[in-house]
Amino acid sequence: MAKVLVVTSGKGGVGKTTSTAALGAALAQMGQRVVVIDFDVGLRNLDLVLGAERRVVFDLINVVQGVAKLQQALIRDKRLENLWLLPASQTRDKDALTEEGISRIIAELRTRFDWILCDSPAGIERGAMLAMRFADAAVIVTNPEVSSVRDSDRIIGMLDSKTVKAERGEMVEKHILITRYDPGRASRGEMLSIDDILEILATPLLGIIPESQDVLKASNVGSPVTLHNADSPPARAYTDAVGRLLGDSIEMTVPTERKGFMSRLLGRKAA
Amino acid sequence: MNFLKLINGRKATAPIARERLQILLAHERGLRGQSDLLELLRSEILAAVQRHVDIDTDKIVIRMERGPQVSTLEVDIEVPNGAHKSLAAVG
């Protein structure tokens, strides 16, 4: 049965779009049929991170308004045949997104895909509300930083009250994904630890994505990090997170750079 | 912690972040109507104390620990001698 997963955070810049692309690609790499939807009307970026920016013709609002058919707006990834993108509109008014329209689109996508990943815009306004509205599960992207943790708590409160599932008296399945984590700084007491964040948010952990240059390198070339450099620490962390989403029990670790003999000999780089 | 300070030459800031967040979020969850026992106790204890004593908010230290089995609330209030409101009113 199809699962609708919202990738959300409240705060901007914590890695929602990067995580949506990486989780979506990793799911597709495991044979799941995946569609990723960009809900950030006016500030779309999922197309860019996925390297599909020049292939956008129709968008989410065109489909909501009946200007285009869903089939015309969906863009198939060139590398992963199981991965599809439904881009946001870059020009139209975000008020054009309606709950009825999104409901109809998600119902149709449920018949065609195993996973529907909704990339939420930052904030708690209409776009963010609609991105989570029909979710079965949520990934709350959190940085080890006070403002991000506070906003995650707010979003958790909304997932528990403003979603269709919550209104039916059911629970949206919630997962914390910690991004930009620096184990060195955490161990020196300069950064909130994983335990601190989980205790404060009282929500289970899906994965820990280490701070890494590989994330920027992947987005530079328009490739999800799990595809661009599958052996890099963030790619392995995202792949593990997806394994857990699929129900595998995978030990929770923070992947580190696999070092060759010479770099071991010369000592480690600053974390 | 002292050892950490020694090798670091500065204070670890993460514990401060953690404490600030715990107090703030307990308060904000209360505002959203998600009642939280620890926050309820904290606010009622402070209200009870404030009825009798003028407290300097800088002199109050609050710590919350949440665990799977047990949670703790620690309220540390420095009460200066002669701060009793009704006595002050009489005097």
Side-chain angles (χ1 to χ4, degrees):
Chain A
M1 213 179 74
K3 200 163 202 174
V4 178
L5 178 82
V6 60
V7 180
T8 183
S9 69
K11 189 174 174 352
V14 296
K16 284 183 295 298
T17 300
T18 303
S19 295
T20 307
L23 295 172
L27 279 165
Q29 283 168 290
M30 291 182 195
Q32 303 281 309
R33 287 170 302 165
V34 184
V35 59
V36 292
I37 311 178
D38 192 343
F39 275 83
D40 206 345
V41 173
L43 289 169
R44 78 170 174 225
N45 272 320
L46 191 53
D47 55 334
L48 196 55
V49 171
L50 285 171
E53 71 277 10
R54 299 203 306 183
R55 299 170 62 206
V56 177
V57 181
F58 295 112
D59 58 52
L60 184 60
I61 287 181
N62 293 146
V63 183
V64 167
Q65 293 179 331
V67 175
K69 292 203 173 90
L70 184 55
Q71 187 56 48
Q72 293 174 293
L74 285 171
I75 302 168
R76 187 178 212 157
D77 189 88
K78 286 200 163 158
R79 300 145 298 201
L80 295 167
E81 61 170 15
N82 278 344
L83 180 63
W84 298 73
L85 164 69
L86 183 51
S89 168
Q90 185 68 336
T91 51
R92 281 159 213 277
D93 185 4
K94 60 182 183 297
D95 292 335
L97 280 186
T98 62
E99 183 168 338
E100 300 70 37
I102 299 300
S103 170
R104 185 166 47 78
I105 289 169
I106 287 190
E108 196 175 334
L109 291 171
R110 275 182 191 273
T111 65
R112 298 185 43 186
F113 292 96
D114 300 313
W115 291 86
I116 299 157
L117 269 56
C118 303
D119 182 20
S120 174
I124 52 172
E125 302 304 320
R126 188 182 186 84
M129 297 293 308
L130 282 173
M132 71 165 67
R133 182 73 187 148
F134 302 97
D136 302 307
V139 168
I140 302 127
V141 182
T142 306
N143 288 172
E145 188 259 318
V146 286
S147 56
S148 174
V149 174
R150 180 199 209 170
D151 291 359
S152 291
D153 190 71
R154 183 84 194 272
I155 286 291
I156 289 168
M158 289 171 65
L159 287 163
D160 288 338
S161 60
K162 311 272 189 203
T163 52
V164 170
K165 268 209 145 178
E167 285 171 7
R168 280 198 210 124
E170 298 167 38
M171 283 288 266
V172 171
E173 184 191 304
K174 298 183 294 286
H175 309 272
I176 299 288
L177 183 69
I178 296 174
T179 55
R180 311 201 71 161
Y181 186 70
D182 184 334
R185 301 194 70 188
S187 73
R188 290 193 296 274
E190 296 168 12
M191 180 182 266
L192 283 165
S193 71
I194 303 293
D195 287 345
D196 288 344
I197 298 169
L198 297 182
E199 186 198 332
I200 291 164
L201 296 177
T203 303
L205 180 64
L206 182 68
I208 307 160
I209 315 300
E211 172 78 60
S212 166
Q213 298 178 0
D214 291 297
V215 172
L216 179 61
K217 286 180 193 161
S219 73
N220 282 345
V221 298
S223 174
V225 71
T226 52
L227 207 56
H228 183 248
N229 184 358
D231 200 39
S232 65
R236 284 185 283 136
Y238 278 117
T239 304
D240 283 356
V242 160
R244 293 181 197 108
L245 272 182
L246 293 171
D248 298 343
S249 65
I250 297 169
E251 195 198 344
M252 191 65 71
T253 56
V254 186
T256 50
E257 208 67 59
R258 286 178 177 144
K259 291 194 184 76
F261 175 72
M262 278 312 284
S263 60
R264 276 178 207 278
L265 207 66
L266 296 170
R268 63 191 188 98
K269 277 192 303 186
Chain B
M1 197 55 73
N2 284 333
F3 177 67
L4 269 180
K5 264 192 229 173
L6 212 64
I7 55 169
N8 251 347
R10 57 183 180 269
K11 198 169 182 278
T13 50
I16 302 170
R18 178 175 175 273
E19 278 181 24
R20 289 176 61 219
L21 273 169
Q22 280 181 321
I23 310 290
L24 173 70
L25 294 184
H27 177 67
E28 289 186 343
R29 285 170 193 157
L31 294 180
R32 292 202 301 263
Q34 294 166 264
S35 62
D36 174 87
L37 180 62
L38 240 46
E39 167 59 15
L40 186 69
L41 291 173
R42 185 200 68 87
S43 61
E44 291 196 2
I45 289 168
L46 288 189
V49 173
Q50 256 154 349
R51 270 202 299 279
H52 300 285
V53 185
D54 284 319
I55 348 171
D56 179 350
T57 46
D58 291 338
K59 299 286 168 64
I60 305 172
V61 181
I62 299 165
R63 278 194 195 86
M64 290 179 181
E65 298 269 350
R66 283 167 213 276
Q69 265 84 47
V70 183
S71 295
T72 61
L73 170 66
E74 193 183 312
V75 184
D76 188 344
I77 304 168
E78 191 179 300
V79 184
N81 294 331
H84 197 292
K85 272 187 183 171
S86 57
L87 287 183
V90 173

